[in-house]
């Protein structure tokens, strides 16, 4: 009787890609759409998943001078979750501080309560009985993938002027190549301006 071979794998990883963007300048974008958010902005993305695998096989054998092979188990279960960022805007400008928190919590339980009963009246003829009740498998995989800029630089004078204009909610903005903003291929650049702090929270349970 074999009741082993159960497997449980828990995999979690953080993946960060450095990206480089060739700035074409905001002059190539004729239309701007700016949303101004006063105060602190909380961008919270949470996914909660519960997996339960109960393998409650029963194998009962009563035989004489025969070979009986019963295999139970081999159960498998997988759960996949993907969390996408706040991608409605082409650019998010934050006047305050930027905070990001990435959490992964995983709890895996495999309950294998197999019961096998073997009753044989004659074992002298070389016949044998084999029962396999293991080989249950549970895999839980979670990852957080982030694409960040390769380098960060201080604001120049043109960018500071842009921030002041957005903060004052001016009705017209004159494009400046010194902004180093990539234009939108749709012709409309969607910008979210937050004058407070930005909290980017990602949680997977």
């Amino acid at each position: 009787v074999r009741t082993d071979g159960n497997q449980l794998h828990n995999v979690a990883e953080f993946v960060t890609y450095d990206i480089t963007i060739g700035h074409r300048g905001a002059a190539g974008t004729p239309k701007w759409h700016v949303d101004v958010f006063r105060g602190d902005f909380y961008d919270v993305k949470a996914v909660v998943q519960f997996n339960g695998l109960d393998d409650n096989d029963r194998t009962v054998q009563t035989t004489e001078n025969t070979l009986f092979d019963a295999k139970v188990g081999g159960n498998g279960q997988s759960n996949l979750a993907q969390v996408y960022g706040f991608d409605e805007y082409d650019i998010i400008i934050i006047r305050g501080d930027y905070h990001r928190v990435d959490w992964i919590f995983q709890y895996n339980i495999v309950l294998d309560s197999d019961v096998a009963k073997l009753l044989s009246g004659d074992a002298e003829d070389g016949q044998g009985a084999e029962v396999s009740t293991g080989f249950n498998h549970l895999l839980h995989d979670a990852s957080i993938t982030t694409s960040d800029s390769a380098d960060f630089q201080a604001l120049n004078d043109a960018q500071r002027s842009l921030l002041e204009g957005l903060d004052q909610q001016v009705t017209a903005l004159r494009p400046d190549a010194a902004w180093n903003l990539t234009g939108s291929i749709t012709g409309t650049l969607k910008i979210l301006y937050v004058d407070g702090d930005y909290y980017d929270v990602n949680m997977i349970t």
Side-chain angles (χ1 to χ4, degrees):
V1 180
R2 295 190 56 190
T3 60
D4 58 353
N6 301 300
Q7 298 183 16
L8 186 147
H9 300 277
N10 204 343
V11 181
E13 61 179 348
F14 292 88
V15 180
T16 302
Y17 296 103
D18 291 335
I19 58 174
T20 57
I21 300 177
H23 300 294
R24 299 191 303 270
T29 303
K31 298 180 181 179
W32 284 48
H33 179 87
V34 180
D35 290 334
V36 178
F37 188 88
R38 297 297 179 183
D40 297 335
F41 188 90
Y42 293 84
D43 182 11
V44 180
K45 297 170 287 292
V47 173
V48 180
Q49 294 179 323
F50 299 94
N51 282 345
L53 178 60
D54 185 3
D55 180 29
N56 201 16
D57 299 321
R58 294 293 186 269
T59 302
V60 179
Q61 177 194 0
T62 302
T63 183
E64 183 175 352
N65 296 328
T66 60
L67 173 63
F68 181 76
D69 186 2
K71 292 183 179 179
V72 294
N75 304 292
Q77 185 181 63
S78 61
N79 212 341
L80 175 63
Q82 289 183 323
V83 179
Y84 295 94
F86 199 79
D87 54 359
E88 179 182 353
Y89 295 95
D90 299 312
I91 300 173
I92 299 178
I93 299 177
I94 305 168
R95 183 94 178 177
D97 296 328
Y98 174 76
H99 309 271
R100 188 179 74 189
V101 179
D102 298 321
W103 286 322
I104 294 180
F105 303 95
Q106 291 181 325
Y107 307 93
N108 288 336
I109 297 176
V110 174
L111 176 60
D112 183 20
S113 57
D114 298 325
V115 175
K117 297 180 180 180
L118 303 179
L119 302 177
S120 178
D122 187 2
E124 297 179 357
D125 56 358
Q127 299 288 341
E130 179 182 354
V131 179
S132 299
T133 61
F135 307 105
N136 300 297
H137 182 81
L138 174 62
L139 173 64
H140 208 161
D141 186 5
S143 63
I144 294 179
T145 303
T146 304
S147 297
D148 283 339
S149 177
D151 55 353
F152 296 91
Q153 300 176 358
L155 296 176
N156 56 36
D157 293 338
Q159 293 169 340
R160 293 184 182 276
S161 299
L162 171 62
L163 290 180
E164 293 177 0
L166 293 175
D167 189 60
Q168 298 172 5
Q169 298 188 23
V170 297
T171 58
L173 294 171
R174 177 175 296 179
D176 191 336
W179 289 348
N180 291 331
L181 298 180
T182 301
S184 176
I185 61 176
T186 63
T188 300
L189 196 64
K190 296 181 180 180
I191 294 181
L192 173 64
Y193 175 75
V194 180
D195 69 347
D197 294 341
Y198 190 100
Y199 295 88
D200 185 6
V201 181
N202 305 288
M203 183 181 67
I204 298 176
T205 303

